[in-house]
Amino acid sequence: MDHTYFREFMTYLKKEDKPAAVSYALSLIENQNVELEDLYLNVLAPSLIYFECDEKDEDVCIWKEHFRTSIIRTILESCYVHVLKLTKNVKKNGVKVMVLTPAFEYHEIGAIMNTHFMLLEGFDAHYIGANTPKAEILSAIRTYHPDYVALSVTNPYNIVVTKQTTDEIKRFFPEVGIILGGQAFKDLSHIEHLQYDEILNSLEDLKAFGKKVSAK
Ligand code: B12
């Protein structure tokens, strides 16, 4: 992908110019300058992952980070309509996935992006929300009957709550598969004691998983 797109997008973000940033990102998709996956992984994700704050006052940095995340979230929600258009030509694999972040985990951008990627791979994917308590997750499984629950976890501190959640899912719904994704699982020592079926760290992993379930 042409890096000038990322650089131009960053000029709007640095000025906290939400109208310009949102319009520019959506125009890249509408004018077919970039694929949706490229926009997410090579423009939106790095704008957050490499967020730098030059301000001396930490409080200013915190609201700036919140504001930037809200801009990215608006772009993702606007792209959902585009995802729906694209999925019309995608062969469905009949596999229902419920995507969420567990209790205490507020980082949700990766979960939203990967829900869209799953839809584009033919999954019947639903993003439930961030900071989802264990009881609500169990209730949603009881109502939705997903084939898989995908837990996105960023902060390694939340591995403990993830373990409690995955243990309960497997206890009450042993037939439901568990997918783990997110920065917290980059260090594999974190997952030794967790019950899960798939660990997906990238779009390539997700595509390979899509092929595996379609072949069944
Ligand atoms: C935005 C942000 C926030 C926002 C989140 C808002 C929101 N609505 O999501 C807010 C301000 C709330 C926040 C709060 C905090 N944050 Co914060 N935050 C970030 C920041 C800047 C960007 C995160 C992000 O969205 N990245 C973009 C997405 C696309 O990347 P991603 O999540 O990694 O997802 C990718 C993959 O991991 C994967 N993936 C993710 N999930 C899934 C799921 C599946 C199923 C699959 C297949 C793949 C997958 O796909 C994505 C695309 O490749 C990072 C900086 C960083 N380096 O990441 C810090 C960061 C994650 N935060 C951090 C910290 C410490 C905190 C706080 C504890 C700060 C505090 N003291 O209060 C709190 C914790 C809140 C909580 N309880 O969860 C640390 C975590 C350090 C660590 N590893 O322990 C980071 C790394 C900052 C830093 N360098 O210190 N944060």
Side-chain angles (χ1 to χ4, degrees):
M1 195 202 69
D2 189 340
H3 289 292
T4 53
Y5 298 137
F6 175 65
R7 281 197 291 271
E8 182 161 355
F9 181 65
M10 286 306 292
T11 60
Y12 303 127
L13 277 190
K14 281 183 182 153
K15 288 187 277 185
E16 271 109 28
D17 187 344
K18 182 167 180 172
V22 174
S23 306
Y24 181 69
L26 295 180
S27 76
L28 290 179
I29 290 292
E30 279 150 18
N31 301 333
Q32 300 183 344
N33 297 113
V34 296
E35 301 280 331
L36 188 107
E37 286 93 339
D38 258 341
L39 175 73
Y40 284 16
L41 295 178
N42 298 321
V43 179
L44 306 184
S47 77
L48 286 170
I49 292 170
Y50 305 112
F51 173 76
E52 278 173 7
C53 182
D54 307 329
E55 305 285 338
K56 288 200 178 66
D57 184 349
E58 216 171 277
D59 287 345
V60 174
C61 291
I62 291 172
W63 72 253
K64 276 178 176 278
E65 187 178 293
H66 280 250
F67 189 41
R68 183 172 294 192
T69 313
S70 104
I71 296 173
I72 303 301
R73 206 179 192 290
T74 300
I75 296 168
L76 292 177
E77 298 297 1
S78 308
C79 282
Y80 181 67
V81 180
H82 189 72
V83 172
L84 289 184
K85 271 191 214 146
L86 289 171
T87 52
K88 285 198 181 126
N89 303 319
V90 171
K91 191 165 174 269
K92 308 288 180 286
N93 62 20
V95 176
K96 195 182 227 184
V97 188
M98 208 170 89
V99 186
L100 49 88
T101 83
F104 310 115
E105 181 59 73
Y106 296 172
H107 300 94
E108 62 176 344
I109 301 296
I112 300 172
M113 284 185 178
N114 280 281
T115 307
H116 292 186
F117 292 159
M118 285 178 189
L119 289 166
L120 295 174
E121 290 305 310
F123 288 93
D124 176 16
H126 304 263
Y127 175 59
I128 302 295
N131 184 24
T132 322
K134 211 169 46 190
E136 267 78 76
I137 296 175
L138 297 177
S139 159
I141 296 175
R142 210 169 286 121
T143 316
Y144 260 145
H145 307 293
D147 299 294
Y148 287 89
V149 175
L151 294 145
S152 172
V153 187
T154 301
N155 199 324
Y157 284 118
N158 292 329
I159 294 288
V160 176
V161 74
T162 304
K163 175 165 169 45
Q164 292 163 355
T165 306
T166 50
D167 284 351
E168 293 272 289
I169 294 173
K170 286 296 184 187
R171 182 169 157 224
F172 293 107
F173 305 98
E175 73 286 4
V176 174
I178 295 177
I179 300 169
L180 300 178
Q183 290 183 30
F185 306 116
K186 292 255 157 75
D187 179 349
L188 291 179
S189 67
H190 288 155
I191 56 172
E192 268 169 18
H193 307 292
L194 293 186
Q195 299 193 63
Y196 66 94
D197 297 274
E198 301 288 336
I199 177 143
L200 308 177
N201 269 321
S202 62
L203 180 56
E204 288 68 38
D205 288 354
L206 179 58
K207 283 180 189 266
F209 175 57
K211 283 207 181 97
K212 189 170 95 179
V213 297
S214 298
K216 274 188 187 167

